[in-house]
Amino acid sequence: MLEILLFIYALIALILSTITDLKKREVLDTANLTLFSVSLITVIIYSLINSTFTPLIGSIKTFVPLTILAFALYYLRQWGGGDTKLLIALSIALAFPLKEQLFLNASLNFIINLILTGALIGIIYALIIIFKNFREFIEQLKSTVKEYKLSLCLFIFFGILIFVLSYTQQNNLLKAILYSSSTFLFITPILHVIFKSIENIAMIKTIEVNKLTPGDWIIDKTLRNKFNISTLGIEEEQILKLKNSNIKQVKVKEGIPFVPIFLIAYLLTMFNINLLITILYFYF
């Protein structure tokens, strides 16, 4: 019964937040706060009724690592404050999956599903942008390659060096490590210039100051310094200061709507589907 209640709470919050994220590129703080509060109260009441602290302890065991992970990803600028709050809000529900997790616990399954779902949707999103803006993408790609020419040359040089070195090794494990390292050195800069080009043509936009929302990433460094805006995102107080100034428009960096990815990953996890294990199963 507890699992079903928490699943319903999380599903409602995720659906509402997904709609808002797709329409307004904004994560509902009220939905996150409500989800966390109602989930915690439900677990406490359930523990008291059944005279056991096991559910509450299980919630804490999930809440602590996911909260640490959420803040770590936030400060590493991998996502915004809304996504951070959403992961924390989901932590209690993830402690009680609908189906028994056969390989890993629900939290780990969810993180794996979140990463792989995000990667797959990110690739699809990137391909759509390239297809729709092919000429602009090619021009931007040329410009980005020139900008990072020195870094690209260094990565490729060391990649070739390590690749050649791998064939001189007799130890198969060392050979595999060197070969993997050289592949990484080749692929990383190529992906960087591709996604940097995509970012410049589709993810950096000029918007009205009145349309700013907390967490938006301001591109202009001078503007950030003037209004003391963090690289982690603008806050409500700073938005008010911008509105009261003579500045009418600002450039912001937009990411892919991430809440729908949370929804997909959560549903997969609740029904004991691990994307990585599924992919490996069909591959091998």
Side-chain angles (χ1 to χ4, degrees):
M1 183 63 182
L2 178 62
E3 292 84 357
I4 295 172
L5 282 174
L6 294 176
F7 174 74
I8 292 171
Y9 299 159
L11 191 60
I12 292 171
L14 283 168
I15 290 172
L16 291 174
S17 295
T18 294
I19 294 169
T20 307
D21 196 23
L22 290 173
K23 284 186 174 182
K24 301 180 180 179
R25 293 296 182 91
E26 183 180 354
V27 183
L28 287 172
D29 281 344
T30 50
N32 292 335
L33 181 60
T34 303
L35 172 59
F36 182 79
S37 301
V38 173
S39 298
L40 181 59
I41 291 168
T42 302
V43 171
I44 291 172
I45 292 172
Y46 182 88
S47 297
L48 292 173
I49 290 173
N50 291 277
S51 302
T52 175
F53 287 103
T54 302
L56 192 57
I57 293 170
S59 300
I60 294 170
K61 285 182 178 179
T62 306
F63 168 75
V64 173
L66 287 183
T67 299
I68 293 171
L69 176 64
F71 279 109
L73 291 173
Y74 174 69
Y75 285 109
L76 288 171
R77 293 189 62 187
Q78 297 304 301
W79 60 25
D83 299 318
T84 301
K85 295 171 188 174
L86 181 55
L87 182 57
I88 295 170
L90 278 173
S91 63
I92 295 177
L94 284 168
F96 304 94
L98 290 177
K99 286 192 174 184
E100 183 182 354
Q101 307 291 289
L102 298 178
F103 299 99
L104 302 169
N105 66 40
S107 298
L108 287 173
N109 277 336
F110 176 74
I111 296 302
I112 291 170
N113 286 334
L114 191 68
I115 292 169
L116 290 180
T117 304
L120 290 172
I121 291 178
I123 291 168
I124 294 169
Y125 184 76
L127 290 173
I128 291 171
I129 290 173
I130 293 172
F131 180 76
K132 289 175 68 176
N133 309 274
F134 187 72
R135 289 184 180 178
E136 188 181 354
F137 169 74
I138 295 299
E139 292 301 316
Q140 184 60 55
L141 185 63
K142 291 177 182 177
S143 175
T144 307
V145 169
K146 287 181 182 179
E147 183 182 351
Y148 293 95
K149 183 167 61 176
L150 179 60
S151 299
L152 282 168
C153 290
L154 287 173
F155 269 86
I156 291 171
F157 171 75
F158 284 109
I160 293 172
L161 190 65
I162 293 173
F163 182 77
V164 172
L165 185 62
S166 68
Y167 279 91
T168 66
Q169 304 301 314
Q170 299 300 319
N171 187 296
N172 288 332
L173 178 60
L174 182 57
K175 182 180 287 189
I177 292 171
L178 290 173
Y179 181 75
S180 300
S181 299
S182 67
T183 304
F184 175 79
L185 288 172
F186 276 122
I187 292 174
T188 300
I190 293 170
L191 290 177
H192 178 74
V193 295
I194 289 173
F195 282 103
K196 188 68 177 177
S197 301
I198 291 170
E199 178 184 294
N200 288 335
I201 64 173
M203 294 184 176
I204 295 177
K205 296 183 178 180
T206 300
I207 65 170
E208 300 290 331
V209 170
N210 290 332
K211 293 183 179 179
L212 281 171
T213 57
D216 282 341
W217 289 329
I218 306 298
I219 300 299
D220 192 331
K221 189 175 180 180
T222 304
L223 195 65
R224 291 204 309 266
N225 291 335
K226 182 179 178 180
F227 289 91
N228 196 28
I229 300 170
S230 170
T231 54
L232 298 173
I234 194 167
E235 297 174 3
E236 189 68 50
E237 183 181 346
Q238 294 156 349
I239 293 174
L240 291 173
K241 288 180 180 179
L242 279 174
K243 288 179 179 179
N244 293 329
S245 69
N246 293 323
I247 299 168
K248 302 298 180 186
Q249 294 180 325
V250 290
K251 282 188 176 181
V252 298
K253 178 183 173 182
E254 290 186 348
I256 299 171
F258 212 67
V259 181
I261 298 170
F262 269 84
L263 176 59
I264 295 168
Y266 179 71
L267 289 173
L268 289 171
T269 303
M270 286 297 102
F271 291 100
N272 192 31
I273 299 172
N274 183 300
L275 274 182
L276 179 60
I277 292 171
T278 303
I279 292 169
L280 291 174
Y281 176 79
F282 283 105
Y283 182 78
F284 290 107

